[in-house]
Amino acid sequence: IDGPGHSPPSPRQSVRKNLDFEPLSTTALILEDRPANLPAKPAEEAQKHRQQYEEMVAQAKKRELKEAQKRRKQLEDRCKLEESIGNAAQTWNQEILPNWSAMCTSRRVRELWWQGVPPSVRGKVWSLAVGNELNITHELFNICLARAREKWKSMPTAPPTEPETEDASLSLADREASLELIKLDISRTFPHLCIFQQGGPYYDMLHSILGAYTCYRPDVGYVQGMSFIAAVLILNLDTPDAFIAFANLLNKPCQMAFFRVDHSLMLKYFAAFEVFFEENLPKLFVHFKENNLTPDIYLIDWIFTLYSKSLPLDLACRVWDVFCRDGDEFLFRVALGILRLYEDVLTRMDFIHNAQFLTRLPDHISPDQLFSHIHAVHMTSLAGAEQSSPKALSPVNQEQNDTDTSSFSDPVLHLTV
């Protein structure tokens, strides 16, 4: 009800009151009447401005509708994904894990595995798949951890410095002394998560696993890159079980060759990789050769950290899912999958830009796209790889090799070097 002192609504307020969508203030200015001290707009100009205003509002509404539909689609997709993960977790918990020995190699389980292990059961699946050939117990972990803590207490308080070189001939005492390098590397492990750095909730766990391993394997010691592997395990397992999986993973032939810096064996891996590289991506292979871009430039970092540093963490975990099942050869399939995914981009780059791109992959990579390209990788040419070396490095056992995997969604790579 109008009363004394009540002022009538302005034209802008009247217009906005009747709108379903609140336009931006800059678009609403079109409808403002000119100040009283200026001549009124001609009718034609006023009509033109009103038409422009209505067009702007219509476009804004259209954008809003499009964004609302996009948000709705994202919500639906997220709900479907969560439902799918929940159903998969139920299948793993109720059917697969209780009957692991009988089901782990079945076609159905392999297909589920390829699609990604649900996060809630990932740690358990990884532990079972990796196994414990070293027969490490929780007690042994505690013994190694106690030794590491004694070493840390006796160390000087000065901050550790970067090692100048990796000397494979270091004495056991010197390698055990690499304990001091752990603190330096931990600070650079998934820094964006802010959980592994000093004061973070997982700092002590990561520090413990790396220190215990250095005392468990003083012949290997601590090598840069190990912290990323241990960190991924910590996110999925409790500390003792993460240590057991960590030690067994690093005991695999490929990881041991790289972490012990066995140059001759590393070169054999690279030579075998190039055989399959040329077979799958001949155009990119020639381009890399012409630019002198050798596999060690990008493969070493990928293999050292099992892609946990190079790929987005959720995607790296999915890579780990299949790696824990298929072993070392899958790491090279992933490498070829990445090269295949970005083949068009890489063939247009020179040496510097290729090296920069491959050592710092995009932050956002579609898991489905990458795995589609990994699936498209063919590993059938054994002849050239066999000429590289007489030693077979594929951990896939003969029974698996004899199995017809052609109908699986993830054909097994037979990497022989």
Side-chain angles (χ1 to χ4, degrees):
I1 299 174
D2 293 341
H6 178 80
S7 58
S10 68
R12 180 193 289 186
Q13 291 173 330
S14 299
V15 171
R16 287 191 173 184
K17 188 176 181 181
N18 296 323
L19 290 174
D20 294 327
F21 176 78
E22 180 95 355
L24 297 173
S25 60
T26 52
T27 62
L29 287 174
I30 296 173
L31 294 184
E32 286 285 359
D33 290 332
R34 286 181 176 175
N37 61 331
L38 295 176
K41 289 181 183 179
E44 184 178 346
E45 185 181 354
Q47 177 62 28
K48 179 183 176 183
H49 287 176
R50 189 174 293 107
Q51 184 179 350
Q52 290 174 337
Y53 170 78
E54 289 171 355
E55 289 174 358
M56 289 181 179
V57 171
Q59 289 174 0
K61 284 184 176 181
K62 190 175 179 181
R63 283 195 302 271
E64 275 288 305
L65 180 61
K66 203 170 183 179
E67 289 174 3
Q69 290 173 340
K70 184 180 178 181
R71 287 194 296 270
R72 191 180 301 114
K73 178 71 165 55
Q74 289 173 339
L75 180 61
E76 289 174 357
D77 290 344
R78 188 161 60 247
C79 289
K80 286 180 183 177
L81 178 61
E82 289 174 358
E83 183 180 2
S84 173
I85 291 174
N87 292 336
Q90 188 174 14
T91 300
W92 281 94
N93 275 316
Q94 296 180 3
E95 299 178 35
I96 300 172
L97 291 176
N99 305 289
W100 178 257
S101 298
M103 294 190 66
C104 66
T105 57
S106 68
R107 184 186 305 272
R108 180 188 175 210
V109 172
R110 288 179 66 84
E111 289 174 349
L112 284 173
W113 216 324
W114 180 261
Q115 295 165 14
V117 178
S120 60
V121 298
R122 183 165 267 153
K124 181 66 175 174
V125 172
W126 287 0
S127 289
L128 289 168
V130 172
N132 186 14
E133 291 183 355
L134 298 174
N135 294 317
I136 299 173
T137 62
H138 288 194
E139 291 73 21
L140 178 58
F141 164 67
N142 290 326
I143 291 170
C144 293
L145 178 57
R147 178 172 175 81
R149 285 173 174 164
E150 289 176 6
K151 287 279 183 180
W152 281 323
K153 285 179 183 178
S154 63
M155 283 181 183
T157 56
T161 57
E162 287 273 13
E164 292 182 5
T165 59
E166 281 290 346
D167 188 352
S169 63
L170 288 175
S171 68
L172 296 190
D174 287 336
R175 285 193 174 272
E176 203 167 83
S178 65
L179 280 166
E180 65 181 271
L181 302 176
I182 292 174
K183 289 185 179 180
L184 180 67
D185 224 20
I186 285 180
S187 64
R188 298 178 292 202
T189 305
F190 298 122
H192 59 286
L193 296 181
C194 302
I195 57 176
F196 294 108
Q197 288 64 42
Q198 193 158 10
Y202 291 103
Y203 172 81
D204 288 337
M205 294 170 67
L206 183 55
H207 204 209
S208 297
I209 287 177
L210 297 174
Y213 181 78
T214 304
C215 290
Y216 172 69
R217 288 298 301 266
D219 58 318
V220 178
Y222 177 76
V223 182
Q224 285 184 329
M226 287 183 177
S227 63
F228 282 89
I229 298 175
V232 172
L233 290 169
I234 286 171
L235 292 174
N236 293 279
L237 292 160
D238 59 28
T239 308
D241 290 331
F243 175 78
I244 293 172
F246 180 75
N248 279 277
L249 271 178
L250 266 57
N251 199 52
K252 304 293 183 184
C254 182
Q255 280 63 54
M256 193 53 65
F258 277 75
F259 280 112
R260 297 190 74 169
V261 197
D262 186 333
H263 294 291
S264 61
L265 198 49
M266 289 169 68
L267 289 174
K268 291 175 184 177
Y269 272 108
F270 295 148
F273 172 76
E274 288 200 298
V275 170
F276 297 115
F277 184 3
E278 184 177 16
E279 178 186 81
N280 283 271
L281 303 165
K283 182 180 176 183
L284 185 60
F285 178 80
V286 170
H287 178 69
F288 276 20
K289 283 292 184 183
E290 290 174 346
N291 286 273
N292 296 315
L293 188 71
T294 52
D296 58 292
I297 292 174
Y298 51 92
L299 270 186
I300 286 179
D301 196 44
W302 293 355
I303 302 298
F304 258 121
T305 62
L306 304 180
Y307 294 96
S308 55
K309 181 182 176 183
S310 309
L311 294 176
L313 185 56
D314 59 337
L315 178 53
C317 285
R318 189 171 165 187
V319 166
W320 277 48
D321 290 340
V322 186
F323 161 66
C324 288
R325 185 195 72 184
D326 289 352
D328 299 338
E329 81 283 353
F330 186 70
L331 299 176
F332 295 91
R333 286 183 60 198
V334 174
L336 291 172
I338 292 171
L339 295 177
R340 194 175 188 277
L341 176 62
Y342 294 109
E343 181 178 14
D344 291 341
V345 175
L346 294 169
T347 49
R348 296 195 299 268
M349 292 181 177
D350 59 15
F351 172 86
I352 296 294
H353 291 94
N354 270 319
Q356 290 176 340
F357 184 91
L358 293 174
T359 52
R360 186 174 178 81
L361 294 171
D363 293 331
H364 302 287
I365 302 174
S366 166
D368 291 338
Q369 282 187 5
L370 177 58
F371 270 74
S372 174
H373 283 278
I374 294 171
H375 173 255
V377 170
H378 299 289
M379 296 294 177
T380 55
S381 176
L382 294 177
E386 286 170 353
Q387 291 173 5
S388 302
S389 167
K391 196 170 182 180
L393 297 176
S394 172
V396 180
N397 59 39
Q398 188 59 43
E399 183 180 350
Q400 250 186 319
N401 285 341
D402 292 339
T403 304
D404 177 19
T405 59
S406 59
S407 59
F408 291 149
S409 58
D410 55 323
V412 175
L413 157 66
H414 305 292
L415 179 65
T416 311
V417 297

